[in-house]
Amino acid sequence: MKKRVLIIGGGASGMMAAVQAARSKAKVTIIEHTSQVGKKLLSTGNGRCNLTNLYQAPECYRCGQDGFVQETLKKFSMEDTLAFFRDLGILLKDRQGYVYPNSDQAVTVLEGFQAELGRLGVQVILNCNVEKILCKNMFEVYTDQKILKGDALILAAGSKAAKFTGSDGSGYELAKQLGHTIVSPLPALVQLQCKEKHYKQLAGVRTEAKVQLMVCENKREAGWKVLAEDVGELQLTDYGISGIPTFQVSRYASVSLHKGLDVKVKIDFLPQQSVREVEDLISLGIRNFGYKTWEQWITGVLNKKLGIVLLKLAQLNPNETVSSSSESQRKKLLRQIKSYETIVTEVNPFEKAQVCCGGVAVSEICSKTMESKNMQGLYFAGEIVDVDGICGGYNLQWAWSSGATAGRSAGAFAD
């Protein structure tokens, strides 16, 4: 008799787990509460599906336990991921280390999975909601359609991020019912809302910038500590900041605000130039373009809307000539360009986040098998676990690695 493996969640990690368990000759059933599998996968990479990244390093992943992610990646690596999708007949392409299907369509990846699930005889039950799980000699999963029984159970139910794709956080409750600790889920890879009133004037501006996320851990000492930083295209919105560099540091804002700490962001709007070089640029403007207004000068340096706001913050009148300014005003402008500061009041909600930080505590999971340390035969995969990656294909790599490891482990020793 074949080993029966039940998988709750038909997202990226759930489908990978199903394929690997079925290839181990197990009888596999996916239980998915939406009308289709892989719904969130279709929105990844702006619909192009950034499958993985050729650059893999520990700092690309955030986790509650050092080395946990790396142990799982050893079981199913980035190279294994590339081979897996090629074996599905998907041609891949590399954009400076970011790997996509050659079609630039996420549906290519989903259809590749669907074809393989069909070939392997994996049963997929859609629009099926899990009500409770009992575990005696086997797992009994009670749903609103029927009771399903299995020898092994994989929880791959996702997080609370991007609810429109089916991620509603229901898996956390199931994990708690089965005796697991949940680290508070918080939005990650998300936009930041800021205190200042001038953002409505900046909405729509995109500019290269260096972003540093800072937190005040001790108000008595008034000491600010840099927790994370990134360089890339910053997007300014009517409520604050967005764009890849914002996403890369946002999980630290989520955690710090959750702890009640003060959070701010320092932005360098000319990251390719040193402070001295920008200082020289301003001095050159005084010497060669003293007849111009500050608005005319700043437009040659930065986005016009951004430049005008920075001028006003430096107490410079955009309509006055460059030559009429004082040295103290020019120093203030230098500070605004190279070290503008903004207070973060909150992060955008789960609905706007790409992934979450938090989830099932990794201290209760074996990194080499993804099996629960608390309950034999129970496995975890994907976003439900307290692991999150930076932008660039890392969260999908975690889905593939954790899903493959859980699927192979759960399906092992099948007849």
Side-chain angles (χ1 to χ4, degrees):
M1 183 177 178
K2 287 187 174 183
K3 189 174 183 181
R4 298 167 298 175
V5 177
L6 303 177
I7 301 173
I8 298 178
S13 63
M15 290 190 293
M16 177 61 87
V19 168
Q20 299 297 337
R23 287 181 179 180
S24 299
K25 308 302 181 184
K27 180 181 179 181
V28 181
T29 301
I30 293 176
I31 305 164
E32 169 56 42
H33 72 158
T34 70
S35 60
Q36 70 173 98
V37 293
K39 189 173 181 180
K40 188 172 184 179
L41 186 64
L42 292 176
S43 65
T44 59
N46 291 319
R48 294 182 300 161
C49 195
N50 182 187
L51 285 167
T52 187
N53 200 297
L54 300 182
Y55 175 76
Q56 294 288 323
E59 63 266 22
C60 299
Y61 300 90
R62 289 79 178 259
C63 177
Q65 181 176 302
D66 290 343
F68 182 92
V69 175
Q70 285 64 50
E71 285 296 326
T72 306
L73 289 177
K74 288 178 184 176
K75 305 300 292 186
F76 193 87
S77 67
M78 173 270 292
E79 291 82 4
D80 293 326
T81 296
L82 300 179
F84 173 82
F85 286 109
R86 287 170 181 148
D87 288 344
L88 292 187
I90 298 174
L91 183 64
L92 305 176
K93 64 181 172 185
D94 163 20
R95 286 199 182 98
Q96 297 181 317
Y98 296 73
V99 180
Y100 296 85
N102 192 61
S103 66
D104 271 335
Q105 292 182 298
V107 69
T108 298
V109 181
L110 177 56
E111 290 180 355
F113 266 115
Q114 290 173 321
E116 185 67 359
L117 293 172
R119 184 185 74 84
L120 294 169
V122 173
Q123 182 185 18
V124 179
I125 306 175
L126 300 174
N127 299 306
C128 186
N129 295 291
V130 176
E131 296 172 344
K132 65 177 180 179
I133 301 171
L134 298 181
C135 181
K136 297 177 182 177
N137 296 325
M138 65 182 67
F139 290 94
E140 295 183 354
V141 178
Y142 289 73
T143 77
D144 55 2
Q145 294 187 23
K146 57 183 174 181
I147 300 173
L148 296 160
K149 297 182 179 181
D151 304 298
L153 174 66
I154 302 174
L155 277 183
S159 64
K160 295 178 73 173
K163 188 176 181 179
F164 70 94
T165 64
S167 297
D168 62 359
S170 57
Y172 299 137
E173 292 303 315
L174 296 176
K176 283 200 289 188
Q177 288 176 22
L178 295 171
H180 276 272
T181 303
I182 305 299
V183 178
S184 297
L186 299 168
L189 299 188
V190 70
Q191 307 86 354
L192 302 181
Q193 298 185 26
C194 300
K195 180 179 180 179
E196 292 75 17
K197 302 298 183 182
H198 51 248
Y199 281 99
K200 292 188 183 299
Q201 302 170 52
L202 296 171
V205 171
R206 294 171 180 254
T207 183
E208 187 80 3
K210 178 181 178 180
V211 173
Q212 291 183 310
L213 193 286
M214 307 177 72
V215 62
C216 183
E217 297 179 330
N218 191 328
K219 291 184 179 181
R220 289 184 179 180
E221 296 179 3
W224 289 88
K225 178 182 178 182
V226 177
L227 294 187
E229 63 182 45
D230 196 61
V231 178
E233 186 182 70
L234 179 70
Q235 297 177 29
L236 301 173
T237 71
D238 59 358
Y239 56 79
I241 58 176
S242 182
I244 298 298
T246 301
F247 288 173
Q248 303 290 46
V249 304
S250 60
R251 67 101 66 196
Y252 297 100
S254 277
V255 173
S256 298
L257 290 169
H258 184 69
K259 293 178 178 178
L261 301 175
D262 290 337
V263 177
K264 70 179 178 182
V265 168
K266 181 182 288 187
I267 301 173
D268 179 351
F269 289 110
L270 287 177
Q272 304 305 321
Q273 283 81 38
S274 67
V275 171
R276 179 60 183 271
E277 287 172 331
V278 177
E279 189 175 25
D280 289 344
L281 183 66
I282 295 173
S283 297
L284 183 66
I286 301 298
R287 291 197 305 270
N288 295 349
F289 306 105
Y291 61 90
K292 286 187 176 185
T293 65
W294 274 110
E295 180 178 337
Q296 290 170 332
W297 180 85
I298 201 84
T299 301
V301 177
L302 294 169
N303 175 283
K304 185 174 182 177
K305 288 202 296 186
L306 171 61
I308 289 175
V309 168
L310 296 183
L311 288 172
K312 291 179 178 178
L313 291 173
Q315 298 179 323
L316 283 165
N317 186 333
N319 297 315
E320 290 185 356
T321 61
V322 170
S323 60
S324 66
S325 61
S326 66
E327 184 179 352
S328 64
Q329 288 175 312
R330 295 194 292 271
K331 286 183 177 179
K332 287 179 181 177
L333 179 60
L334 175 64
R335 285 197 297 271
Q336 291 300 327
I337 292 174
K338 291 295 291 180
S339 55
Y340 164 91
E341 293 187 357
T342 183
I343 301 298
V344 179
T345 55
E346 58 185 304
V347 301
N348 269 355
F350 289 109
E351 289 77 6
K352 299 291 185 180
Q354 293 184 14
V355 297
C356 288
C357 56
V360 179
V362 296
S363 60
E364 300 171 355
I365 301 172
C366 174
S367 60
K368 295 180 179 179
T369 62
M370 295 306 294
E371 185 174 18
S372 165
K373 293 179 180 179
N374 302 346
M375 181 177 290
Q376 186 175 3
L378 173 64
Y379 301 81
F380 298 94
E383 286 185 43
I384 195 172
V385 181
D386 181 22
V387 172
D388 58 289
I390 63 174
C391 294
Y394 297 101
N395 288 291
L396 274 182
Q397 182 58 58
W398 170 246
W400 311 138
S401 295
S402 59
T405 302
R408 289 173 176 177
S409 302
F413 309 115
D415 295 329

